[in-house]
Amino acid sequence: MLSTKSPTKEELDAATGKTVSDILVPDLKVLFCGINPGLYTAVKGHHFARPGNRFWPTLHAAGFTPELYQPHQERDLVQLGYGITNIVSRATANAAELSKAELIEGGITLVEKVILYQPRVLALLGLSAYRIAFGKATADIGLQEQTIGQTRLWVLPNPSGLNAHFPPKKLATVYSELRDFVDQLEE
């Protein structure tokens, strides 16, 4: 269970460079891919754990989960056909600390994971990070022409509470478009 106690500054500082385990099994419907874990997430040991991150509420609002999951329920996503990974595995205070080279290297590692686990869709949560990691400077939100083997790529807005371009309702709408696409693939 996720502790409700906020991490101390010392705990956050100590989390720099730590990793959070992937939620990854073969043949998922969707592999959600964040940019990298934040320090709060690394301390808690669960993806998208920071209060204010809108990943879990957005998944529910978009119809991916039957109820509002909490970060400590992340492994329950596998039963629904979903998983979580990151482009870069090391935790930082914010994604701006990642170098272009690190994002590109992370993109290469991500492609290897996708080839090995073969999700139907890789959903990248962050347009700017996708553009850098995959060398697609003009990419936009939504379905991409690029595939990795049979895996389709879909770019979604970063669910961080700092992403003011996408308030919760708009975020849910964009994520719902992916869910509709996945539902069509399943038919």
Side-chain angles (χ1 to χ4, degrees):
M1 178 106 172
L2 190 66
S3 166
T4 56
K5 179 181 146 273
S6 292
T8 65
K9 180 183 180 333
E10 292 76 22
E11 288 172 319
L12 292 170
D13 289 345
T16 299
K18 288 192 174 180
T19 61
V20 178
S21 297
D22 288 340
I23 309 300
L24 188 54
V25 298
D27 200 32
L28 293 166
K29 293 179 194 176
V30 180
L31 177 57
F32 291 99
C33 181
I35 300 167
N36 76 308
L39 298 180
Y40 191 103
T41 286
V43 169
K44 296 296 183 179
H46 300 289
H47 294 274
F48 304 103
R50 184 180 231 6
N53 188 297
R54 301 171 299 172
F55 178 75
W56 298 106
T58 300
L59 279 193
H60 178 59
F64 284 103
T65 59
E67 61 192 47
L68 177 56
Y69 282 27
Q70 299 301 313
H72 69 273
Q73 295 174 291
E74 63 191 0
R75 297 216 172 269
D76 295 346
L77 287 177
V78 171
Q79 297 166 12
L80 302 173
Y82 310 125
I84 304 174
T85 191
N86 289 288
I87 296 173
V88 175
S89 61
R90 79 174 180 97
T92 60
N94 60 61
E97 294 178 31
L98 302 173
S99 70
K100 181 177 179 180
E102 199 169 10
L103 286 166
I104 292 168
E105 184 179 318
I108 293 166
T109 300
L110 179 59
V111 167
E112 292 168 355
K113 284 182 195 178
V114 169
I115 290 169
L116 181 62
Y117 288 95
Q118 300 181 18
R120 290 179 197 77
V121 177
L122 173 64
L124 294 120
L125 312 182
L127 180 58
S128 296
Y130 170 72
R131 286 175 173 170
I132 294 168
F134 285 83
K136 301 292 183 183
T138 60
D140 207 352
I141 298 293
L143 181 64
Q144 305 301 302
E145 288 184 22
Q146 178 183 10
T147 61
I148 301 171
Q150 297 299 310
T151 300
R152 304 301 304 265
L153 274 60
W154 195 289
V155 177
L156 292 167
N158 187 325
S160 167
L162 300 175
N163 187 353
H165 296 294
F166 285 88
K169 193 176 260 188
K170 186 175 179 184
L171 207 56
T173 298
V174 174
Y175 279 58
S176 292
E177 292 169 4
L178 170 59
R179 195 215 58 244
D180 291 343
F181 177 77
V182 171
D183 289 349
Q184 290 173 2
L185 288 178
E186 295 296 302
E187 291 175 359

